[in-house]
Each structure stands twice: as C-alpha cells, then as structure tokens.
PDB file of all heavy atoms in Angstrom:
ATOM      1  N   LEU A 209       0.813  -1.211   0.000  1.00 85.00           N
ATOM      2  CA  LEU A 209       0.000   0.000   0.000  1.00 85.00           C
ATOM      3  C   LEU A 209       0.853   1.270   0.000  1.00 85.00           C
ATOM      4  O   LEU A 209       0.528   2.238  -0.691  1.00 85.00           O
ATOM      5  CB  LEU A 209      -0.956   0.000   1.189  1.00 85.00           C
ATOM      6  CG  LEU A 209      -2.096  -1.016   1.097  1.00 85.00           C
ATOM      7  CD1 LEU A 209      -2.889  -1.041   2.404  1.00 85.00           C
ATOM      8  CD2 LEU A 209      -2.996  -0.718  -0.068  1.00 85.00           C
ATOM      9  N   VAL A 210       1.935   1.271   0.749  1.00 83.00           N
ATOM     10  CA  VAL A 210       2.830   2.434   0.761  1.00 83.00           C
ATOM     11  C   VAL A 210       3.487   2.598  -0.612  1.00 83.00           C
ATOM     12  O   VAL A 210       3.617   3.722  -1.121  1.00 83.00           O
ATOM     13  CB  VAL A 210       3.882   2.316   1.882  1.00 83.00           C
ATOM     14  CG1 VAL A 210       4.989   3.338   1.723  1.00 83.00           C
ATOM     15  CG2 VAL A 210       3.218   2.471   3.239  1.00 83.00           C
ATOM     16  N   PHE A 211       3.881   1.493  -1.233  1.00 88.00           N
ATOM     17  CA  PHE A 211       4.454   1.572  -2.584  1.00 88.00           C
ATOM     18  C   PHE A 211       3.425   2.114  -3.565  1.00 88.00           C
ATOM     19  O   PHE A 211       3.741   2.960  -4.406  1.00 88.00           O
ATOM     20  CB  PHE A 211       4.946   0.198  -3.034  1.00 88.00           C
ATOM     21  CG  PHE A 211       5.487   0.197  -4.431  1.00 88.00           C
ATOM     22  CD1 PHE A 211       6.732   0.732  -4.717  1.00 88.00           C
ATOM     23  CD2 PHE A 211       4.728  -0.317  -5.479  1.00 88.00           C
ATOM     24  CE1 PHE A 211       7.227   0.748  -6.006  1.00 88.00           C
ATOM     25  CE2 PHE A 211       5.207  -0.304  -6.769  1.00 88.00           C
ATOM     26  CZ  PHE A 211       6.460   0.221  -7.036  1.00 88.00           C
ATOM     27  N   GLY A 212       2.194   1.646  -3.487  1.00 84.00           N
ATOM     28  CA  GLY A 212       1.134   2.142  -4.367  1.00 84.00           C
ATOM     29  C   GLY A 212       0.852   3.617  -4.154  1.00 84.00           C
ATOM     30  O   GLY A 212       0.623   4.360  -5.107  1.00 84.00           O
ATOM     31  N   MET A 213       0.873   4.045  -2.893  1.00 79.00           N
ATOM     32  CA  MET A 213       0.647   5.456  -2.591  1.00 79.00           C
ATOM     33  C   MET A 213       1.779   6.319  -3.171  1.00 79.00           C
ATOM     34  O   MET A 213       1.534   7.368  -3.771  1.00 79.00           O
ATOM     35  CB  MET A 213       0.571   5.661  -1.075  1.00 79.00           C
ATOM     36  CG  MET A 213       0.323   7.097  -0.659  1.00 79.00           C
ATOM     37  SD  MET A 213       0.293   7.320   1.126  1.00 79.00           S
ATOM     38  CE  MET A 213       1.979   6.933   1.556  1.00 79.00           C
ATOM     39  N   ALA A 214       3.013   5.867  -3.015  1.00 81.00           N
ATOM     40  CA  ALA A 214       4.147   6.618  -3.556  1.00 81.00           C
ATOM     41  C   ALA A 214       4.107   6.646  -5.080  1.00 81.00           C
ATOM     42  O   ALA A 214       4.370   7.683  -5.697  1.00 81.00           O
ATOM     43  CB  ALA A 214       5.458   6.002  -3.072  1.00 81.00           C
ATOM     44  N   LEU A 215       3.748   5.534  -5.688  1.00 82.00           N
ATOM     45  CA  LEU A 215       3.659   5.475  -7.148  1.00 82.00           C
ATOM     46  C   LEU A 215       2.591   6.435  -7.663  1.00 82.00           C
ATOM     47  O   LEU A 215       2.822   7.182  -8.621  1.00 82.00           O
ATOM     48  CB  LEU A 215       3.353   4.044  -7.594  1.00 82.00           C
ATOM     49  CG  LEU A 215       3.285   3.808  -9.092  1.00 82.00           C
ATOM     50  CD1 LEU A 215       4.650   4.030  -9.723  1.00 82.00           C
ATOM     51  CD2 LEU A 215       2.793   2.399  -9.371  1.00 82.00           C
ATOM     52  N   ALA A 216       1.457   6.456  -7.015  1.00 78.00           N
ATOM     53  CA  ALA A 216       0.384   7.369  -7.424  1.00 78.00           C
ATOM     54  C   ALA A 216       0.795   8.827  -7.208  1.00 78.00           C
ATOM     55  O   ALA A 216       0.529   9.686  -8.044  1.00 78.00           O
ATOM     56  CB  ALA A 216      -0.889   7.063  -6.648  1.00 78.00           C
ATOM     57  N   GLY A 217       1.451   9.100  -6.101  1.00 74.00           N
ATOM     58  CA  GLY A 217       1.879  10.471  -5.813  1.00 74.00           C
ATOM     59  C   GLY A 217       2.906  10.988  -6.795  1.00 74.00           C
ATOM     60  O   GLY A 217       2.849  12.142  -7.230  1.00 74.00           O
ATOM     61  N   PHE A 218       3.837  10.149  -7.192  1.00 79.00           N
ATOM     62  CA  PHE A 218       4.881  10.590  -8.112  1.00 79.00           C
ATOM     63  C   PHE A 218       4.422  10.641  -9.556  1.00 79.00           C
ATOM     64  O   PHE A 218       5.023  11.323 -10.372  1.00 79.00           O
ATOM     65  CB  PHE A 218       6.125   9.698  -8.000  1.00 79.00           C
ATOM     66  CG  PHE A 218       6.957   9.994  -6.786  1.00 79.00           C
ATOM     67  CD1 PHE A 218       7.160   9.031  -5.823  1.00 79.00           C
ATOM     68  CD2 PHE A 218       7.520  11.241  -6.599  1.00 79.00           C
ATOM     69  CE1 PHE A 218       7.912   9.300  -4.701  1.00 79.00           C
ATOM     70  CE2 PHE A 218       8.274  11.529  -5.478  1.00 79.00           C
ATOM     71  CZ  PHE A 218       8.473  10.548  -4.527  1.00 79.00           C
ATOM     72  N   THR A 219       3.362   9.923  -9.900  1.00 82.00           N
ATOM     73  CA  THR A 219       2.889   9.971 -11.275  1.00 82.00           C
ATOM     74  C   THR A 219       1.890  11.087 -11.510  1.00 82.00           C
ATOM     75  O   THR A 219       1.682  11.492 -12.650  1.00 82.00           O
ATOM     76  CB  THR A 219       2.254   8.634 -11.692  1.00 82.00           C
ATOM     77  OG1 THR A 219       1.211   8.310 -10.783  1.00 82.00           O
ATOM     78  CG2 THR A 219       3.280   7.518 -11.711  1.00 82.00           C
ATOM     79  N   VAL A 220       1.292  11.607 -10.466  1.00 79.00           N
ATOM     80  CA  VAL A 220       0.309  12.683 -10.626  1.00 79.00           C
ATOM     81  C   VAL A 220       1.000  14.027 -10.875  1.00 79.00           C
ATOM     82  O   VAL A 220       0.527  14.828 -11.672  1.00 79.00           O
ATOM     83  CB  VAL A 220      -0.617  12.754  -9.396  1.00 79.00           C
ATOM     84  CG1 VAL A 220      -1.442  14.024  -9.385  1.00 79.00           C
ATOM     85  CG2 VAL A 220      -1.525  11.543  -9.367  1.00 79.00           C
ATOM     86  N   ASN A 221       2.118  14.277 -10.236  1.00 82.00           N
ATOM     87  CA  ASN A 221       2.783  15.576 -10.348  1.00 82.00           C
ATOM     88  C   ASN A 221       3.133  15.981 -11.776  1.00 82.00           C
ATOM     89  O   ASN A 221       2.853  17.115 -12.174  1.00 82.00           O
ATOM     90  CB  ASN A 221       4.031  15.613  -9.465  1.00 82.00           C
ATOM     91  CG  ASN A 221       3.686  15.612  -7.998  1.00 82.00           C
ATOM     92  OD1 ASN A 221       2.535  15.753  -7.622  1.00 82.00           O
ATOM     93  ND2 ASN A 221       4.679  15.426  -7.162  1.00 82.00           N
ATOM     94  N   PRO A 222       3.734  15.124 -12.597  1.00 85.00           N
ATOM     95  CA  PRO A 222       4.013  15.552 -13.978  1.00 85.00           C
ATOM     96  C   PRO A 222       2.752  15.833 -14.787  1.00 85.00           C
ATOM     97  O   PRO A 222       2.733  16.733 -15.631  1.00 85.00           O
ATOM     98  CB  PRO A 222       4.786  14.377 -14.580  1.00 85.00           C
ATOM     99  CG  PRO A 222       5.267  13.583 -13.440  1.00 85.00           C
ATOM    100  CD  PRO A 222       4.337  13.827 -12.303  1.00 85.00           C
ATOM    101  N   VAL A 223       1.693  15.079 -14.522  1.00 83.00           N
ATOM    102  CA  VAL A 223       0.444  15.301 -15.248  1.00 83.00           C
ATOM    103  C   VAL A 223      -0.145  16.655 -14.879  1.00 83.00           C
ATOM    104  O   VAL A 223      -0.576  17.425 -15.747  1.00 83.00           O
ATOM    105  CB  VAL A 223      -0.556  14.161 -14.965  1.00 83.00           C
ATOM    106  CG1 VAL A 223      -1.910  14.459 -15.573  1.00 83.00           C
ATOM    107  CG2 VAL A 223      -0.007  12.839 -15.471  1.00 83.00           C
ATOM    108  N   VAL A 224      -0.150  16.961 -13.590  1.00 81.00           N
ATOM    109  CA  VAL A 224      -0.691  18.238 -13.133  1.00 81.00           C
ATOM    110  C   VAL A 224       0.151  19.393 -13.671  1.00 81.00           C
ATOM    111  O   VAL A 224      -0.389  20.407 -14.127  1.00 81.00           O
ATOM    112  CB  VAL A 224      -0.767  18.277 -11.591  1.00 81.00           C
ATOM    113  CG1 VAL A 224      -1.149  19.652 -11.090  1.00 81.00           C
ATOM    114  CG2 VAL A 224      -1.743  17.240 -11.086  1.00 81.00           C
ATOM    115  N   THR A 225       1.456  19.250 -13.644  1.00 86.00           N
ATOM    116  CA  THR A 225       2.335  20.307 -14.150  1.00 86.00           C
ATOM    117  C   THR A 225       2.126  20.515 -15.647  1.00 86.00           C
ATOM    118  O   THR A 225       2.041  21.657 -16.111  1.00 86.00           O
ATOM    119  CB  THR A 225       3.806  19.975 -13.858  1.00 86.00           C
ATOM    120  OG1 THR A 225       3.981  19.826 -12.452  1.00 86.00           O
ATOM    121  CG2 THR A 225       4.730  21.064 -14.363  1.00 86.00           C
ATOM    122  N   SER A 226       2.016  19.435 -16.406  1.00 86.00           N
ATOM    123  CA  SER A 226       1.810  19.604 -17.850  1.00 86.00           C
ATOM    124  C   SER A 226       0.450  20.227 -18.157  1.00 86.00           C
ATOM    125  O   SER A 226       0.334  21.031 -19.085  1.00 86.00           O
ATOM    126  CB  SER A 226       1.969  18.272 -18.575  1.00 86.00           C
ATOM    127  OG  SER A 226       0.939  17.384 -18.216  1.00 86.00           O
ATOM    128  N   LEU A 227      -0.571  19.891 -17.383  1.00 81.00           N
ATOM    129  CA  LEU A 227      -1.873  20.538 -17.566  1.00 81.00           C
ATOM    130  C   LEU A 227      -1.785  22.033 -17.271  1.00 81.00           C
ATOM    131  O   LEU A 227      -2.319  22.857 -18.015  1.00 81.00           O
ATOM    132  CB  LEU A 227      -2.910  19.915 -16.631  1.00 81.00           C
ATOM    133  CG  LEU A 227      -3.730  18.761 -17.160  1.00 81.00           C
ATOM    134  CD1 LEU A 227      -4.606  18.189 -16.069  1.00 81.00           C
ATOM    135  CD2 LEU A 227      -4.562  19.179 -18.339  1.00 81.00           C
ATOM    136  N   ALA A 228      -1.095  22.374 -16.191  1.00 84.00           N
ATOM    137  CA  ALA A 228      -0.962  23.784 -15.833  1.00 84.00           C
ATOM    138  C   ALA A 228      -0.177  24.548 -16.887  1.00 84.00           C
ATOM    139  O   ALA A 228      -0.545  25.661 -17.266  1.00 84.00           O
ATOM    140  CB  ALA A 228      -0.293  23.923 -14.472  1.00 84.00           C
ATOM    141  N   VAL A 229       0.901  23.957 -17.388  1.00 87.00           N
ATOM    142  CA  VAL A 229       1.719  24.618 -18.409  1.00 87.00           C
ATOM    143  C   VAL A 229       0.928  24.760 -19.706  1.00 87.00           C
ATOM    144  O   VAL A 229       1.051  25.762 -20.412  1.00 87.00           O
ATOM    145  CB  VAL A 229       3.043  23.854 -18.625  1.00 87.00           C
ATOM    146  CG1 VAL A 229       3.777  24.329 -19.863  1.00 87.00           C
ATOM    147  CG2 VAL A 229       3.930  23.997 -17.397  1.00 87.00           C
ATOM    148  N   ARG A 230       0.091  23.787 -20.014  1.00 84.00           N
ATOM    149  CA  ARG A 230      -0.720  23.853 -21.230  1.00 84.00           C
ATOM    150  C   ARG A 230      -1.666  25.052 -21.199  1.00 84.00           C
ATOM    151  O   ARG A 230      -1.914  25.679 -22.211  1.00 84.00           O
ATOM    152  CB  ARG A 230      -1.507  22.561 -21.392  1.00 84.00           C
ATOM    153  CG  ARG A 230      -2.256  22.492 -22.697  1.00 84.00           C
ATOM    154  CD  ARG A 230      -2.848  21.150 -22.917  1.00 84.00           C
ATOM    155  NE  ARG A 230      -4.177  21.126 -22.311  1.00 84.00           N
ATOM    156  CZ  ARG A 230      -4.929  20.059 -22.236  1.00 84.00           C
ATOM    157  NH1 ARG A 230      -4.478  18.908 -22.665  1.00 84.00           N
ATOM    158  NH2 ARG A 230      -6.120  20.117 -21.703  1.00 84.00           N
ATOM    159  N   PHE A 231      -2.170  25.390 -20.023  1.00 80.00           N
ATOM    160  CA  PHE A 231      -3.089  26.508 -19.893  1.00 80.00           C
ATOM    161  C   PHE A 231      -2.381  27.805 -19.496  1.00 80.00           C
ATOM    162  O   PHE A 231      -3.033  28.811 -19.255  1.00 80.00           O
ATOM    163  CB  PHE A 231      -4.173  26.188 -18.857  1.00 80.00           C
ATOM    164  CG  PHE A 231      -5.130  25.139 -19.327  1.00 80.00           C
ATOM    165  CD1 PHE A 231      -4.980  23.829 -18.934  1.00 80.00           C
ATOM    166  CD2 PHE A 231      -6.161  25.467 -20.180  1.00 80.00           C
ATOM    167  CE1 PHE A 231      -5.852  22.857 -19.367  1.00 80.00           C
ATOM    168  CE2 PHE A 231      -7.040  24.509 -20.625  1.00 80.00           C
ATOM    169  CZ  PHE A 231      -6.884  23.188 -20.220  1.00 80.00           C
ATOM    170  N   ALA A 232      -1.065  27.804 -19.440  1.00 82.00           N
ATOM    171  CA  ALA A 232      -0.313  28.949 -18.949  1.00 82.00           C
ATOM    172  C   ALA A 232      -0.226  30.096 -19.940  1.00 82.00           C
ATOM    173  O   ALA A 232       0.000  31.233 -19.546  1.00 82.00           O
ATOM    174  CB  ALA A 232       1.101  28.525 -18.558  1.00 82.00           C
ATOM    175  N   GLY A 233      -0.348  29.811 -21.194  1.00 81.00           N
ATOM    176  CA  GLY A 233      -0.212  30.877 -22.185  1.00 81.00           C
ATOM    177  C   GLY A 233       1.238  31.254 -22.385  1.00 81.00           C
ATOM    178  O   GLY A 233       2.058  30.420 -22.741  1.00 81.00           O
ATOM    179  N   ASP A 234       1.563  32.523 -22.118  1.00 85.00           N
ATOM    180  CA  ASP A 234       2.917  33.026 -22.367  1.00 85.00           C
ATOM    181  C   ASP A 234       3.864  32.877 -21.186  1.00 85.00           C
ATOM    182  O   ASP A 234       4.976  33.389 -21.233  1.00 85.00           O
ATOM    183  CB  ASP A 234       2.849  34.504 -22.761  1.00 85.00           C
ATOM    184  CG  ASP A 234       2.176  34.694 -24.105  1.00 85.00           C
ATOM    185  OD1 ASP A 234       2.239  33.760 -24.928  1.00 85.00           O
ATOM    186  OD2 ASP A 234       1.590  35.758 -24.327  1.00 85.00           O
ATOM    187  N   ALA A 235       3.456  32.217 -20.114  1.00 85.00           N
ATOM    188  CA  ALA A 235       4.309  32.101 -18.931  1.00 85.00           C
ATOM    189  C   ALA A 235       4.460  30.651 -18.471  1.00 85.00           C
ATOM    190  O   ALA A 235       4.159  30.308 -17.341  1.00 85.00           O
ATOM    191  CB  ALA A 235       3.741  32.940 -17.800  1.00 85.00           C
ATOM    192  N   PRO A 236       4.967  29.755 -19.321  1.00 87.00           N
ATOM    193  CA  PRO A 236       5.075  28.361 -18.909  1.00 87.00           C
ATOM    194  C   PRO A 236       6.112  28.126 -17.804  1.00 87.00           C
ATOM    195  O   PRO A 236       5.920  27.268 -16.945  1.00 87.00           O
ATOM    196  CB  PRO A 236       5.455  27.628 -20.190  1.00 87.00           C
ATOM    197  CG  PRO A 236       6.093  28.654 -21.048  1.00 87.00           C
ATOM    198  CD  PRO A 236       5.406  29.949 -20.693  1.00 87.00           C
ATOM    199  N   THR A 237       7.194  28.907 -17.806  1.00 88.00           N
ATOM    200  CA  THR A 237       8.221  28.725 -16.784  1.00 88.00           C
ATOM    201  C   THR A 237       7.700  29.134 -15.412  1.00 88.00           C
ATOM    202  O   THR A 237       7.914  28.426 -14.422  1.00 88.00           O
ATOM    203  CB  THR A 237       9.473  29.548 -17.142  1.00 88.00           C
ATOM    204  OG1 THR A 237       9.874  29.213 -18.470  1.00 88.00           O
ATOM    205  CG2 THR A 237      10.607  29.270 -16.184  1.00 88.00           C
ATOM    206  N   LEU A 238       7.000  30.254 -15.351  1.00 91.00           N
ATOM    207  CA  LEU A 238       6.413  30.699 -14.094  1.00 91.00           C
ATOM    208  C   LEU A 238       5.394  29.687 -13.587  1.00 91.00           C
ATOM    209  O   LEU A 238       5.339  29.364 -12.403  1.00 91.00           O
ATOM    210  CB  LEU A 238       5.764  32.072 -14.266  1.00 91.00           C
ATOM    211  CG  LEU A 238       5.023  32.634 -13.049  1.00 91.00           C
ATOM    212  CD1 LEU A 238       5.987  32.854 -11.897  1.00 91.00           C
ATOM    213  CD2 LEU A 238       4.312  33.915 -13.416  1.00 91.00           C
ATOM    214  N   THR A 239       4.582  29.169 -14.488  1.00 89.00           N
ATOM    215  CA  THR A 239       3.569  28.199 -14.101  1.00 89.00           C
ATOM    216  C   THR A 239       4.193  26.924 -13.570  1.00 89.00           C
ATOM    217  O   THR A 239       3.728  26.354 -12.577  1.00 89.00           O
ATOM    218  CB  THR A 239       2.661  27.878 -15.303  1.00 89.00           C
ATOM    219  OG1 THR A 239       2.110  29.097 -15.770  1.00 89.00           O
ATOM    220  CG2 THR A 239       1.568  26.923 -14.930  1.00 89.00           C
ATOM    221  N   SER A 240       5.251  26.461 -14.197  1.00 89.00           N
ATOM    222  CA  SER A 240       5.941  25.265 -13.718  1.00 89.00           C
ATOM    223  C   SER A 240       6.518  25.484 -12.327  1.00 89.00           C
ATOM    224  O   SER A 240       6.424  24.613 -11.457  1.00 89.00           O
ATOM    225  CB  SER A 240       7.054  24.887 -14.699  1.00 89.00           C
ATOM    226  OG  SER A 240       7.737  23.751 -14.260  1.00 89.00           O
TER     227      SER A 240
END
C-alpha cells in the first residue's frame, strides 16, 4: 500500500504540471 501510494503520488505531479503549463499561455516557466 505504501508503494502504491508513492507510485500514485509521483505519477500525478508531472500530469498536473503539464496541464498547468498547457493553460499557462505566455508564462510556462512561471507556471511550472
């Protein structure tokens, strides 16, 4: 369960960051 929790936690961050950068417009570095 701890391994599954860590796996889920580490795989969500890149997805969230890429979604935020996609909607960032002209400021992708600031958004990241």
Side-chain angles (χ1 to χ4, degrees):
L209 289 173
V210 167
F211 177 75
M213 181 182 66
L215 182 66
F218 283 118
T219 56
V220 168
N221 291 351
V223 173
V224 172
T225 301
S226 67
L227 268 175
V229 168
R230 186 172 88 186
F231 290 99
D234 293 333
T237 307
L238 176 63
T239 304
S240 180

